[in-house]
């Protein structure tokens, strides 16, 4: 459903307390009945049918959108829509290859033993009943002296006890072994997906929200865990139980066996249909959870903005709306599964009565012993158990495979840029050459952001890029970091084409300092060492911090280098954050520096301190500065003025100001009024 259909969007007024706006009752019930998708009908069945149709439609839409997006954006091979066949292949190649094999094999062996034991128990019980019946007849005829009850019962009871105790132990072991299998597999799957997500090209993140991806990572994979755990644990036992008990029933009494299995085809049709429908529900369910998670992650990550704009109640309702969709789908699934269970339960009760009546007739006419009937009745229970397990596995399998399609696609997605291929030159000078570089973002292919950019820069050169907002300055910086490839033209690094170089190697040669640098909520020591691929000793970290003018302020913090700066470095100032980011760039000793408006957000005192740190960093390297303050570009070797993606002027500061009517000159005049160009 479209967000535009939120019935209560912005309905809250800040002065009204939250309690007067929504209660748990509303959250859970009233809101649903007010929702046009869940009419307040007296007949829940009608509401359910409406809901069912809506969910099927939505599931198909989500699936076709996913498929279309894949085909359009990537044209990748091997990423066709997830079918049962491709999913089975995935299960085989990915999921089961991640299973701890020794636990899996032990589990299979123990569950085989368990199944064998479960067949022996009814047989021994039947024997015991027949012994008891025959001893009872002797007792009635010849009196107590003719019967040694203890001797007659000892052997079968001992055997039964051993069998029962062994199956009890096996059951416990099977549970533990398969639980370990399931949890280990899902943990490995999550790690694999996480790694795969971190390696996707930046363009992928232009069209995916991080909250949605984290939901796929955590919630969708949970379903695969229960699938591996549940399926491996029960599938073997269920097949053996189902087939074995069928054989045993027919061997004991073919006519009764036929009667007992007469409802099986109806049950099979019911299970098949339910499995398919629950699968579609699962698609919408995971999608709804991902959307709800996206709201939670975004809002909690921007809670300062939310509170500054008095948006708490609105966000709570927005989240409630998204989560309620999830709840409704769960309810629809529960309704459907309940209908299935009731139908199956009812049919089996009728069948049991008919079988009992016919069996008693056979006992009376001497065609069946009571012992054989006891065994037969237990085989019917085993058969039912086996069928129920197989049905549950099928429904679970269909639901998981259909609903985790997105997870599977993400897991198998190959990034556009391979990380581990390409050249890794041993010597790197840092010479940069851009030849006729043009670029448009994939999401807006008709909007040319950069056009025919040419540039040559050598170590020690500082190239400054100036231009109005939206001119394409940051985009050029992103091309230098190889977040995107030019749509035409080439970038050469030490005369080697960017595309031919190993991506990890290339990025290790580049230091990047952003306007709003991101620090992780790990210690400052770890944040600085983050720039060094192999980790760095404390001595180097402190030296980098000193050169970045960060050591003094870090030393005054209570925990020094062990200080956690908080999420988004909220516990330190903007200038301090910049200096830690510069230290992080210094420690990697980059050959090429990309500075994106690194000082523009700072006051003049902080700017001075950070600029000193930057001068230290730029020394002897090829530097590319995206600048808004002209003070930072005056000393540049070359200044390029960008306008709508074209370089309209280039030269040194003195050359450009000397030109008549130059755009740079007008920027300079403008800056007398405002310190910022854009
Ligand atoms: N990820 C993206 N997807 C699509 N278009 C984008 C993307 N990022 C930027 N753009 C567009 O590309 C153009 C250039 O943006 P860019 O951020 O490079 O400009 P800029 O010169 O750095 O601007 P500013 O000085 O305001 O940061 C703008 O029209 C912008 O809307």
């Amino acid at each position: 459903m479209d967000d535009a259909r939120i019935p209560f969007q912005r309905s809250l007024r800040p002065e009204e307390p939250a309690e007067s706006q929504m209660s748990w009752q509303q959250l859970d019930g009233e809101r649903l009945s007010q929702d046009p998708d869940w009419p307040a009908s007296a007949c829940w069945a009608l509401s359910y049918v409406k809901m069912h149709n809506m969910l099927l439609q939505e599931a198909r839409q989500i699936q076709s959108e996913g498929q279309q997006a894949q085909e359009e954006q990537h044209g990748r091979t091997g990423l066709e829509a997830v079918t049962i066949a491709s999913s089975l292949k995935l299960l085989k190649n990915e999921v089961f290859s991640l299973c701890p094999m020794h636990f899996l094999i032990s589990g299979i062996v123990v569950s085989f033993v368990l199944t064998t034991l479960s067949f022996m128990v009814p047989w021994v019980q039947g024997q015991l009943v027949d012994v008891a019946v025959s001893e009872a007849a002797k007792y009635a005829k010849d009196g107590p002296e003719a019967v040694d009850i203890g001797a007659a019962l000892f052997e079968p009871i001992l055997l039964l006890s051993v069998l029962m105790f062994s199956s009890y132990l096996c059951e416990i072991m099977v549970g533990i072994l398969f639980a370990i299998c399931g949890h280990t597999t899902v943990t490995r799957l999550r790690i694999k997906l996480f790694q795969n997500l971190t390696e996707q090209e930046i363009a992928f993140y232009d069209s995916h929200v991080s909250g949605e991806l984290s939901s796929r990572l955590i919630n969708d994979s949970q379903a695969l865990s229960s699938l591996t755990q549940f399926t491996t644990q029960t599938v073997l036992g269920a097949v053996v139980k189902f087939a074995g008990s069928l054989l045993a029933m027919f061997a004991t009494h073919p006519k009764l066996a036929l009667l007992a299995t007469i409802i099986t085809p109806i049950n099979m049709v019911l299970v098949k249909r339910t499995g398919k429908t629950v699968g579609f529900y699962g698609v919408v369910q995971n999608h709804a959870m991902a959307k709800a998670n996206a709201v939670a992650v975004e809002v909690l990550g921007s809670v300062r903005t939310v509170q500054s704009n008095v948006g708490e109640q609105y966000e709570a309702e927005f989240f409630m709306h998204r989560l309620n969709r999830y709840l409704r789908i769960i309810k629809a699934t529960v309704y459907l599964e309940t209908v299935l269970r009731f139908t199956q339960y009812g049919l089996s009760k009728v069948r049991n009565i008919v079988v009992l009546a016919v069996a008693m007739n056979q006992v009376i006419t001497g065609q069946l012993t009571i012992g054989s009937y006891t065994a037969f009745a237990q085989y019917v229970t085993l058969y039912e158990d086996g069928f129920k397990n197989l049905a549950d596995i099928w429904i679970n399998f269909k639901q998981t495979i259909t609903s985790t399609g997105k997870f599977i696609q993400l897991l198998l997605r190959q990034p556009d840029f391979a990380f581990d291929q390409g050249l890794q030159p041993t010597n790197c000078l840092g010479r940069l050459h851009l030849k006729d570089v043009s670029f448009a973002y994939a999401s807006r292919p008709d909007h040319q952001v950069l056009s025919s950019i040419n540039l040559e820069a050598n170590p020690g050169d500082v190239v400054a890029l100036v231009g109005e907002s939206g001119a394409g300055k940051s985009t050029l910086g992103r091309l230098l970091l190889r977040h995107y490839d030019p749509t035409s033209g080439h970038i050469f690094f030490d005369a080697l084409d960017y595309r031919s170089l190993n991506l990890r190697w290339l990025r290790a040669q580049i230091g990047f300092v952003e306007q709003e640098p991101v620090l992780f909520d790990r210690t400052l020591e770890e944040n600085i060492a983050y720039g060094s691929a192999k980790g760095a000793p404390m001595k180097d970290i402190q030296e980098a911090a000193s050169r970045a003018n960060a050591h003094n302020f870090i030393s005054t913090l209570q925990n020094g280098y062990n200080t956690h700066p908080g999420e988004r470095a909220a516990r330190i100032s903007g200038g301090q954050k910049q200096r830690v980011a510069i230290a992080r760039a210094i420690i990697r000793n980059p050959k090429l520096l990309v500075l994106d408006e690194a000082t523009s957000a700072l006051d003049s005192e902080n700017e001075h301190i950070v600029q000193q740190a930057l001068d230290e960093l730029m020394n002897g390297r090829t530097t590319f500065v995206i600048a808004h303050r002209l003070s930072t570009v005056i000393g540049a070797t070359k200044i390029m003025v960008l306008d709508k993606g074209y370089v309209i002027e280039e030269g040194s500061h003195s050359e450009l100001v000397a030109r008549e009517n130059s755009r740079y000159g007008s920027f300079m005049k403008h800056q007398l009024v405002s310190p910022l160009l854009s």
Side-chain angles (χ1 to χ4, degrees):
M1 190 171 58
D2 197 344
D3 293 345
R5 287 168 63 192
I6 305 168
F8 39 82
Q9 202 168 16
R10 279 287 176 208
S11 63
L12 295 174
R13 287 192 301 279
E15 67 273 15
E16 287 175 317
E19 290 75 7
S20 70
Q21 295 293 325
M22 55 178 165
S23 62
W24 287 113
Q25 193 189 10
Q26 281 175 317
L27 240 169
D28 199 35
E30 271 176 41
R31 287 283 189 206
L32 295 186
S33 60
Q34 286 166 15
D35 195 313
D37 292 331
W38 193 273
S41 164
C43 176
W44 70 265
L46 277 180
S47 305
Y48 168 72
V49 170
K50 188 169 187 275
M51 183 74 185
H52 168 82
N53 291 334
M54 196 193 81
L55 288 176
L56 289 194
Q57 202 183 342
E58 207 175 328
R60 288 200 182 98
Q61 198 183 331
I62 294 167
Q63 280 183 327
S64 70
E65 273 170 14
Q67 204 178 337
Q68 203 181 343
Q70 271 176 18
E71 283 162 9
E72 277 176 9
Q73 287 182 13
H74 314 298
R76 291 157 200 280
T77 50
L79 266 185
E80 67 280 2
V82 177
T83 60
I84 293 291
S86 65
S87 304
L88 276 174
K89 204 166 134 210
L90 169 101
L91 281 178
K92 192 169 129 282
N93 296 345
E94 300 286 331
V95 180
F96 284 114
S97 69
L98 296 176
C99 248
M101 271 304 149
H102 45 295
F103 280 98
L104 184 66
I105 293 168
S106 318
I108 290 172
V109 170
V110 179
S111 72
F112 190 76
V113 174
L114 175 66
T115 316
T116 315
L117 290 175
S118 62
F119 275 98
M120 292 171 73
V121 169
W123 179 76
V124 177
Q125 274 179 341
Q127 299 290 309
L128 179 65
V129 170
D130 281 346
V131 168
V133 168
S134 98
E135 294 299 303
K138 269 194 223 163
Y139 189 96
K141 193 169 158 228
D142 305 325
E145 295 76 29
V147 186
D148 183 350
I149 300 178
L153 297 184
F154 178 74
E155 216 178 288
I157 290 212
L158 180 68
L159 186 58
L160 200 61
S161 313
V162 171
L163 289 178
M164 283 180 156
F165 187 69
S166 309
S167 33
Y168 170 67
L169 277 185
C170 285
E171 218 162 297
I172 292 173
M173 278 175 69
V174 163
I176 293 172
L177 289 168
F178 285 114
I180 292 175
C181 267
H183 290 301
T184 311
T185 309
V186 80
T187 305
R188 290 177 181 175
L189 267 174
R190 282 181 183 143
I191 295 169
K192 204 169 170 185
L193 177 60
F194 181 77
Q195 189 180 356
N196 200 33
L197 287 176
T198 59
E199 290 185 354
Q200 295 303 315
E201 70 283 355
I202 298 298
F204 169 83
Y205 286 93
D206 286 344
S207 55
H208 288 82
V209 182
S210 57
E212 217 174 310
L213 291 174
S214 71
S215 173
R216 300 286 177 197
L217 185 66
I218 303 300
N219 302 319
D220 292 18
S221 58
Q222 193 55 47
L224 279 169
S225 151
S226 57
L227 179 74
T228 41
Q229 187 178 335
F230 180 64
T231 306
T232 42
Q233 180 174 349
T234 43
V235 79
L236 181 77
V239 169
V240 177
K241 255 189 212 171
F242 182 74
S245 54
L246 201 65
L247 280 178
M249 276 156 62
F250 274 97
T252 312
H253 201 294
K255 251 198 241 164
L256 271 185
L258 202 64
L259 206 59
T261 53
I262 208 151
I263 57 168
T264 306
I266 306 173
N267 275 336
M268 279 181 170
V269 174
L270 282 173
V271 167
K272 199 161 175 274
R273 287 197 70 92
T274 311
K276 197 170 170 198
T277 312
V278 168
F280 281 124
Y281 288 1
V283 174
V284 192
Q285 188 180 316
N286 285 353
H287 187 72
M289 181 45 97
K291 290 281 175 202
N293 200 53
V295 173
V297 169
E298 188 173 34
V299 170
L300 296 179
S302 324
V303 78
R304 288 170 187 79
T305 313
V306 171
Q307 291 195 2
S308 310
N309 289 288
V310 203
E312 315 83 45
Q313 292 181 20
Y314 167 67
E315 295 302 346
E317 291 232 356
F318 191 35
F319 183 64
M320 177 189 89
H321 171 77
R322 291 246 165 134
L323 219 52
N324 269 345
R325 293 189 60 220
Y326 178 77
L327 179 64
R328 265 178 289 158
I329 303 157
I330 298 277
K331 283 183 177 178
T333 311
V334 171
Y335 287 147
L336 184 67
E337 288 184 343
T338 309
V339 169
L340 174 78
R341 298 261 172 273
F342 265 104
T343 317
Q344 285 184 329
Y345 190 69
L347 283 172
S348 76
K349 289 291 143 201
V350 173
R351 187 265 325 270
N352 286 351
I353 289 172
V354 174
V355 168
L356 183 68
V358 175
M360 288 308 109
N361 177 292
Q362 302 275 300
V363 170
I364 292 167
T365 55
Q367 295 172 61
L368 186 70
T369 66
I370 295 192
S372 299
Y373 172 70
T374 312
F376 186 87
Q378 294 214 31
Y379 290 137
V380 174
T381 312
L382 275 179
Y383 171 79
E384 275 199 332
D385 237 33
F387 184 85
K388 189 179 161 302
N389 287 347
L390 284 177
D392 285 346
I393 290 167
W394 178 249
I395 292 175
N396 188 288
F397 178 76
K398 282 289 274 187
Q399 178 175 27
T400 307
I401 292 305
T402 322
S403 62
T404 52
K406 185 80 186 170
F407 180 94
I408 293 169
Q409 285 164 1
L410 291 174
L411 191 73
L412 296 182
R413 192 179 192 279
Q414 294 293 322
D416 270 348
F417 305 159
F419 270 84
D420 294 314
Q421 290 161 11
L423 305 171
Q424 301 187 49
T426 39
N427 268 342
C428 176
L429 299 174
R431 284 203 315 261
L432 189 69
H433 178 194
L434 271 70
K435 194 167 173 233
D436 281 333
V437 167
S438 300
F439 180 73
Y441 285 97
S443 54
R444 290 165 72 191
D446 49 336
H447 177 55
Q448 191 77 356
V449 178
L450 294 172
S451 303
S452 301
I453 308 285
N454 289 291
L455 160 74
E456 278 193 52
N458 292 312
D461 286 352
V462 177
V463 177
L465 206 57
V466 295
E468 285 176 357
S469 178
K473 305 180 294 293
S474 300
T475 302
L476 190 50
R478 288 173 203 146
L479 295 191
L480 295 183
L481 288 159
R482 206 176 168 216
H483 285 171
Y484 304 88
D485 275 337
T487 32
S488 69
H490 295 273
I491 303 179
F492 297 97
F493 194 58
D494 283 355
L496 293 167
D497 194 314
Y498 251 37
R499 289 186 175 95
S500 69
L501 293 166
N502 178 293
L503 194 55
R504 283 191 218 281
W505 178 88
L506 174 67
R507 289 192 182 149
Q509 313 307 318
I510 305 173
F512 178 49
V513 183
E514 309 162 73
Q515 184 181 30
E516 265 287 327
V518 175
L519 299 191
F520 299 100
D521 189 20
R522 301 168 197 171
T523 62
L524 291 176
E525 177 189 336
E526 285 172 288
N527 269 292
I528 296 173
Y530 199 78
S532 157
K534 295 181 190 113
M538 194 59 197
K539 183 175 74 63
D540 293 0
I541 292 170
Q542 286 187 356
E543 194 191 316
S546 301
R547 288 173 61 195
N549 279 341
H551 179 73
N552 285 350
F553 98 81
I554 294 175
S555 305
T556 61
L557 298 172
Q558 197 183 1
N559 294 318
Y561 282 87
N562 281 326
T563 305
H564 283 252
E567 198 183 14
R568 294 173 192 222
R571 291 200 283 269
I572 58 174
S573 78
Q576 292 170 337
K577 204 159 56 165
Q578 283 285 8
R579 283 179 273 158
V580 173
I582 292 169
R584 182 164 70 188
I586 288 177
I587 208 164
R588 70 197 309 179
N589 193 19
K591 298 293 178 209
L592 171 65
L593 265 182
V594 179
L595 309 176
D596 189 352
E597 318 179 64
T599 57
S600 67
L602 305 177
D603 58 42
S604 53
E605 194 189 330
N606 251 317
E607 186 199 350
H608 180 67
I609 301 173
V610 173
Q611 193 55 51
Q612 277 181 338
L614 284 173
D615 291 342
E616 167 69 32
L617 177 61
M618 283 150 62
N619 202 3
R621 307 174 207 274
T622 312
T623 307
F624 183 85
V625 190
I626 299 163
H628 278 187
R629 290 181 191 227
L630 294 190
S631 59
T632 59
V633 304
I634 287 172
T637 327
K638 183 190 276 186
I639 298 164
M640 293 167 72
V641 182
L642 262 190
D643 184 33
K644 297 188 181 71
Y646 288 91
V647 177
I648 52 164
E649 286 166 11
E650 60 184 294
S652 67
H653 171 74
S654 49
E655 284 166 2
L656 290 177
V657 286
R659 270 189 216 171
E660 259 183 48
N661 298 327
S662 77
R663 180 73 66 89
Y664 184 76
S666 82
F667 282 156
M668 286 303 284
K669 278 186 217 135
H670 189 218
Q671 188 140 96
L672 294 175
V673 184
S674 156
L676 297 175
L677 284 176
S678 54

